[in-house]
Amino acid sequence: MVLSSQKTLEQNALRIRKGIIQAICSNKGGHIGGSLDLADVLSVIYTDFIRIDPQTPKWDNRDFMIISKGHAGPALYSTLALKGVIDYSRLNNLNNPNSLLPGHCDRNKVPGVDATTGSLGQGLSIAVGAALGAKIKDSGQRVFCIIGDGESAEGQIWEAAQFAAHYKLDNIIAFLDWNNMQIDGSVEEVMSIGDPMKKFEAFGWNSTLVKGDDVLAIQKAINFAIESPNKKPTMIVLKTIKGRGAKCIEELPNNHCLGFNDDLKEKVLEELKERAVELDMEEEQWN
Amino acid sequence: MRRAFLKRVAEMIRNEADTTFFTVDIGMWAIRDVLKEFPDRCTNVGIYEDGMFSIAAGMARRGLVPTIFGIQPYLVERTLEQIKMDLAYQKLGVNVIGTGAAVDYPKYGYSHYCAEDLHVIKAIPGCEFIAPGSAKQFIQLFNQTYRNGHPTFFRVSDHPNQNNDPDVEFGKAVVMQKGSKATVIAVSIMLDAVMEVCKGKDVTVLYYTTLEPFDRETLGQYYNNGKILVVEPEFEGSLTFDITKSFEGKPVQIESVAFPREIFRNYGTYEEKMQYYGLTKENIEKKLEVLIRV
């Protein structure tokens, strides 16, 4: 398997962030913090690993992507636009009446979305079901799934974890977005998740911790899970920072869901543009 | 209404040592100081609805008065079995307060809508359901019920009535006006719109904030040839059983202005949704005219 360079992955992550801003600003606000912090992992998955056909999003043997923390829909949509599954113009219509781009992931409306989510705690179970289904059909499909740390207070997450280990679902590669922030405080303060690596290990998973914005570390972890199957599901715990990629968002005490005025939009885009220059992105790569 | 509720909770926790309050990751901004002062009795449990109901049942079993706060669909749908077995069947008093009435979270999609809440709770005998139309009414109804030993569900709306705010009593309808051509049932936040339409018309208007148990006795006094218009900010037909039971043995013609029984697949603002589903003064007027004319 040929893997992409750090620069390519970071450039794609930046373009995903820009698309997130485009979508959220189209409705003057939305779930920004937990969308931005997924840009890096989505860049790695969609650049190097996930097997989809942008022209045939419903290709039966595609790999699945399930974002259990459904409010990060804008991050997935932006990634799908980057891959050409949906058109970029669609990002301009988030959450409006009759919109085909709902704030929470909706598989009825958006091609490339494999599960409708928004009720927290349920996505990992759907992913586990899809992974078991792929095993039964011997389709060779993989299932990627991203869960949140706050939503891991839901018992259903741990029921799914036990199920996946019991059925030896090594075709599931899940990610825990460990940003330690939820709506009303830090996860540590509200309902501590403890040591998630040890927890998933205890449930019978392979588990590893990487920095959520370290694209090469994420790439290495996913590649290892794919190249070295051991009849266990894999949990890659991403130590993330909510709002990552835009300092002016990152530094806000509660950036879970923000209203966006033109000033804030300008500030964020300015930051992203500076980063584009650092990454030697040409004008056409950026716009 | 939410602010009034949180203020009342803070007061309750401070002054009543047998009360507890748990929020499922929402609203703590308003009572952070209480949270710090009484960490055992006032806490944010995180995103954890179903288990929380059983924990609250355990507390009620030990003589405490628990109140849970969260987002309506997760409080009444995710937790249905816990409501049935841990609260209703065991007759344990837990107060459940839900924000996100019907389409109060208009942009977040079907997972966050809950027009079916009353219908769901009515399916579990023994539960009470209250939908105040204002902050004042929330306080009145909460104070009357929070220690009554029943599972009591409150629907807290972000769009209260602005012009009509009568005093209310748990389990009782308010007679807003009397007339003879039809009876209009105004539920919760729909009172303003109903009154605007019905003022000066020869129709009875009854205002309901307690939806379970439903005050059949008061409705039963205003038959008006069996012409009933129900204006409810929930699924249509949620009160049909109660209405027909109120007039047992007599024929009734029920028209309704309510959310249709379908999956809501659209987005947009609250106002756009109310318009789209016809919860408007114009539609109330139209339905009432037809009802009276036929």
Side-chain angles (χ1 to χ4, degrees), chain B residues 27-38:
Chain B
M28 293 312 279
W29 49 269
I31 49 173
R32 281 205 171 273
D33 50 340
V34 188
L35 177 75
K36 280 188 188 138
E37 220 176 313
F38 303 96

Side-chain angles (χ1 to χ4, degrees), chain B residues 58-261:
Chain B
M59 290 182 163
R61 192 70 194 78
R62 292 298 304 128
L64 295 170
V65 180
T67 298
I68 296 173
F69 179 49
I71 297 177
Q72 194 76 335
Y74 313 130
L75 293 181
V76 305
E77 291 172 324
R78 185 170 205 125
T79 57
L80 200 55
E81 193 164 6
Q82 283 78 12
I83 294 169
K84 175 182 161 179
M85 290 310 298
D86 301 346
L87 306 189
Y89 186 69
Q90 301 190 60
K91 297 183 179 175
L92 293 171
V94 173
N95 302 300
V96 182
I97 298 174
T99 183
V103 293
D104 270 14
Y105 287 118
K107 295 178 178 179
Y108 294 168
Y110 193 52
S111 61
H112 285 63
Y113 303 157
C114 199
E116 60 275 26
D117 54 359
L118 175 60
H119 196 74
V120 169
I121 293 302
K122 274 186 176 286
I124 311 286
C127 294
E128 297 168 345
F129 193 100
I130 293 171
S134 71
K136 178 190 87 177
Q137 290 167 9
F138 171 83
I139 299 295
Q140 289 175 335
L141 293 162
F142 185 78
N143 288 345
Q144 290 164 26
T145 56
Y146 77 107
R147 284 184 174 277
N148 72 6
H150 295 284
T152 307
F153 291 77
F154 294 83
R155 180 204 289 152
V156 173
S157 172
D158 288 339
H159 301 274
N161 296 304
Q162 301 296 324
N163 304 320
N164 295 274
D165 193 9
D167 289 333
V168 291
E169 191 182 331
F170 173 72
K172 288 278 178 203
V174 178
V175 182
M176 298 296 294
Q177 67 178 52
K178 294 181 183 177
S180 65
K181 291 193 171 160
T183 296
V184 181
I185 295 170
V187 174
S188 183
I189 57 157
M190 297 310 293
L191 182 62
D192 273 358
V194 167
M195 290 310 291
E196 214 169 308
V197 171
C198 295
K199 211 165 185 185
K201 287 193 171 68
D202 184 17
V203 296
T204 294
V205 176
L206 302 179
Y207 175 49
Y208 279 82
T209 49
T210 303
L211 306 181
E212 180 62 37
F214 186 83
D215 179 5
R216 296 177 189 173
E217 196 186 332
T218 300
L219 178 60
Q221 293 166 22
Y222 298 92
Y223 181 59
N224 285 339
N225 300 313
K227 291 175 185 288
I228 309 296
L229 173 64
V230 55
V231 182
E232 49 184 339
E234 61 238 355
F235 261 2
E236 60 187 338
S238 297
L239 294 173
T240 302
F241 176 74
D242 295 285
I243 294 168
T244 53
K245 286 300 248 185
S246 303
F247 301 112
E248 208 147 27
K250 295 179 184 171
V252 286
Q253 180 187 354
I254 304 172
E255 288 293 333
S256 95
V257 173
F259 288 106
R261 285 175 180 254

Side-chain angles (χ1 to χ4, degrees), chain A residues 50-66:
Chain A
I50 197 164
R51 295 166 298 184
I52 58 169
D53 177 358
Q55 305 313 313
T56 319
K58 290 188 176 172
W59 169 43
D60 204 41
N61 279 344
R62 71 189 183 278
D63 290 342
F64 272 34
M65 164 57 80
I66 293 169

Side-chain angles (χ1 to χ4, degrees), chain A residues 27 31 95-97 102 104 106 108-109 118-120 122 150-151 153-154 156 182-184 189-191 257, chain B residues 25-29 32 35 44-50 74 78 107-109 111-112 265-268 272:
Chain A
N27 201 270
H31 290 94
N95 270 335
N96 292 311
H104 290 76
D106 189 333
N108 292 322
K109 304 216 171 192
S119 300
L120 292 171
Q122 299 175 6
E151 77 165 317
E154 296 282 15
Q156 193 178 345
Q182 54 193 97
I183 295 178
D184 255 340
E189 171 195 21
V190 172
M191 185 56 65
C257 187
Chain B
D25 202 31
I26 190 163
M28 293 312 279
W29 49 269
R32 281 205 171 273
L35 177 75
N44 179 359
V45 297
I47 303 159
Y48 174 48
E49 293 88 358
D50 43 5
Y74 313 130
R78 185 170 205 125
K107 295 178 178 179
Y108 294 168
S111 61
H112 285 63
R265 297 188 187 275
N266 55 10
Y267 297 83
E272 285 164 339

